[in-house]
Amino acid sequence: MKRMSISVYVALLVAVCASFAARLGADEGMWVFNNLPLGHLKSKYNFEPTPEWSNHLMKSCVRFSVGGSGSFISSTGLVLTNHHVGRDILHDLSTPERSIDQVGYFAKTLADELKAPEVELNQLISIEDVTARVKSSVTEGMDTAAAGKARLAEMERIENESLKATGLRSDVITLYGGGRYHLYRFKKYTDVRLVWAPEHAVAAFGGDV
């Protein structure tokens, strides 16, 4: 990153997605970054993602503390997300004299970027499979309630150890209905600023925000 702040570029993606909808068919579903369908991608698209490519893609992803996800689209920290994800930010930055939520906003310079209050962005830095450790916390003879408590306690220990060792936000994520447990480490950004947002009428065009 060339600057410490993260600029939030709130934009409408619905129109883009809709333009391709008629030409796109159903394909493989959602996959985690460390378990991509390599064989399928190779056989159907002749595409072999390298570990470097997958890592770059993973580190381009961010999640918002207000809920929702986004992506880095520049080397200087510009983030793109959907309008509805940033709407709480727009509401908080609005005043009686200037309703950003309704009329939109555009920062012409870095100095015009608006600091978003109490917003945190998390950039996914790494994924570690901790399934064996979490499952080993359950011993023979435990009932369902005890097993659940044991898993949660082990997950908390893993998270605390990771935070202490790396300084990164560390969350153990339950996948596939408890079939796998992965430790996700995130870099936190709290200097989040609004760069651009369309007016609400554009974001809600067609009745679908």
Side-chain angles (χ1 to χ4, degrees), residues 27 31 47 57 66 70 75 95 123 146-147 179:
D27 204 339
W31 293 81
F47 173 55
L57 184 66
V66 294
S75 61
T95 66
Q123 176 193 18

Side-chain angles (χ1 to χ4, degrees), residues 149-194:
K149 289 181 179 179
R151 281 191 291 268
L152 288 176
E154 188 62 30
M155 291 163 68
E156 185 175 358
R157 279 191 289 271
I158 293 171
E159 292 171 347
N160 290 335
E161 290 173 7
S162 175
L163 175 61
K164 184 177 180 180
T166 67
L168 298 173
R169 173 168 180 165
S170 303
D171 298 334
V172 175
I173 308 298
T174 302
L175 299 168
Y176 315 123
R180 311 294 297 180
Y181 297 88
H182 288 174
L183 173 62
Y184 280 41
R185 295 188 179 95
F186 298 92
K187 183 174 182 179
K188 296 193 297 183
Y189 292 90
T190 55
D191 187 359
V192 180
R193 305 185 183 194
L194 177 67

Side-chain angles (χ1 to χ4, degrees), residues 54-111:
S54 301
N55 188 59
H56 177 82
L57 184 66
M58 177 185 71
K59 290 182 178 179
S60 297
C61 297
V62 296
R63 67 179 185 183
F64 285 70
S65 59
V66 294
S69 60
S71 302
F72 285 112
I73 59 170
S74 84
S75 61
T76 56
L78 199 61
V79 170
L80 177 72
T81 189
N82 286 300
H83 187 273
H84 69 269
V85 174
R87 195 170 184 197
D88 284 346
I89 297 173
L90 306 183
H91 182 271
D92 290 342
L93 291 174
S94 294
T95 66
E97 297 74 30
R98 182 181 64 180
S99 177
I100 292 176
D101 180 39
Q102 293 301 314
V103 303
Y105 185 78
F106 173 63
K108 295 182 179 180
T109 68
L110 292 177

Side-chain angles (χ1 to χ4, degrees), residues 5 18 28-29 48-49 51-52 64 83 89 91 97 103 112 114 117 121 126 135 143 146 158 166 194 197 205:
S5 65
E28 293 291 319
E48 297 182 84
E52 293 77 17
F64 285 70
H83 187 273
I89 297 173
H91 182 271
E97 297 74 30
V103 303
D112 294 326
L114 302 179
L121 292 188
S126 68
K135 289 190 172 183
D143 59 25
I158 293 171
T166 67
L194 177 67
F205 181 76

